[in-house]
Amino acid sequence: VLDFNDPFSTEVKPRILLMGLRRSGKSSIQKVVFHKMSPNETLFLESTNKICREDVSNSSFVNFQIWDFPGQIDFFDPTFDYEMIFRGTGALIFVIDSQDDYMEALARLHLTVTRAYKVNPDINFEIFIHKVDGLSDDHKIETQRDIHQRANDDLADAGLEKIHLSFYLTSIYDHSIFEAFSKVVQKLIPQLPTLENLLNIFISNSGIEKAFLFDVVSKIYIATDSTPVDMQTYELCCDMIDVVIDISCIYGLKDDGTGTPYDKESMAIIKLNNTTVLYLKEVTKFLALVCFVREESFERKGLIDYNFHCFRKAIQEVFEVRMKVVRSRKHQSHMQKNKRPTPNGTPRMPL
């Protein structure tokens, strides 16, 4: 693990900050997305009273740190080194409870964004308007419009119109939180244009309607083709992954209990009642390709499988390049540390 003050650490493992007022739902989001906790179980979570850091290293692409901040954090406290934290941050997620009076949350959001932007102008600012499951559709739209307007007006009054805020309506009781996190993580993946291009080539040559590249652990999709994402389509893909993993854990192990339930032989076909086929194939031990195919196109399954083989090979090449970059940066970081003088002033000897 690299030192947080290390200039190479953020490139290798970007940092995502979860911020917001107390009881806004930050810890619940983290537990549901990354620990498969049932939304109902989050009701019993204790309030966070210290900064919690977690490494998410499911694959070469989904590879970052999440820092969950307590709502009562004080930026003016001299013991809080906000410059060090913001300097290494890729995305700042600010969670606002939509069912509460959000005036105080907007004031804290403005303070947080302005402080962070001065330290690191490259941070992606993501606003989760959370707990919208308790609002009507009209109320959701009105709340989002009001928060969007007030937050941007506050920035304009401070002369910071160039700061871009992204807004998402989220709830842990449906798939909206997974989709929002997918959009956040995708902005931190430098290979995203390459992955999207590979998916576009794959679907255009295979007669496929829509394709997602999923991280099977978190159900975050790290890339999709250039066609628009439909929420129902995304939910079906998430449900399919759950079914495949659950069944694989029961029947995928060997008789002696060894092996892995999800491996290169993992594959699933689900035929829907609207002449559409859901097709899942393992790409790596952490990634799955989930496709929507018309039944008439799925009759050419041999062609789809051949094109998938080419797609998987291309993904592995992207992985290899990524790992070479990571190793190179870690090596440079290690060399820099060895060049630093010891406390008595003598240079460090290389290990």
Side-chain angles (χ1 to χ4, degrees), residues 24 94-98 102 105-106 109 127-130 147:
S24 58
F94 196 92
V95 183
I96 296 177
D97 185 347
S98 64
Y102 45 76
L106 285 170
L109 168 66
I127 317 304
F128 284 10
I129 303 171
H130 197 47
I147 290 175

Side-chain angles (χ1 to χ4, degrees), residues 163-188:
I163 297 180
H164 175 71
L165 306 178
S166 299
F167 295 85
Y168 309 85
L169 293 171
T170 60
S171 168
I172 58 173
Y173 290 95
D174 58 31
H175 291 86
S176 59
I177 191 63
F178 294 96
E179 188 183 25
F181 241 105
S182 297
K183 300 285 180 61
V184 171
V185 170
Q186 285 168 26
K187 294 179 185 178
L188 303 179

Side-chain angles (χ1 to χ4, degrees), residues 197-308:
N197 189 40
L198 288 173
L199 285 166
N200 284 332
I201 295 169
F202 173 67
I203 68 167
S204 63
N205 288 287
S206 307
I208 289 172
E209 303 283 316
K210 184 71 182 167
F212 294 90
L213 191 60
F214 269 93
D215 173 66
V216 294
V217 177
S218 63
K219 291 186 292 189
I220 287 174
Y221 70 93
I222 64 169
T224 184
D225 57 84
S226 54
T227 60
V229 175
D230 175 59
M231 193 62 181
Q232 284 186 315
T233 302
Y234 175 67
E235 288 177 7
L236 280 170
C237 292
C238 289
D239 291 343
M240 185 181 193
I241 289 172
D242 282 339
V243 169
V244 170
I245 296 301
D246 288 347
I247 293 178
S248 296
C249 288
I250 298 171
Y251 301 106
L253 299 175
K254 296 178 181 177
D255 293 337
D256 58 359
T258 61
T260 56
Y262 183 79
D263 56 28
K264 63 182 180 180
E265 302 298 327
S266 295
M267 182 266 289
I269 300 169
I270 297 178
K271 293 187 177 181
L272 307 179
N273 59 7
N274 62 351
T275 70
T276 305
V277 177
L278 271 174
Y279 188 38
L280 180 146
K281 290 274 282 183
E282 187 259 13
V283 179
T284 72
K285 63 180 179 178
F286 295 114
L287 296 178
L289 183 73
V290 185
C291 309
F292 273 73
V293 196
R294 293 285 175 196
E295 275 189 3
E296 57 268 25
S297 300
F298 197 68
E299 292 174 0
R300 303 195 302 274
K301 183 174 176 293
L303 173 65
I304 295 173
D305 286 345
Y306 175 79
N307 288 338
F308 170 78

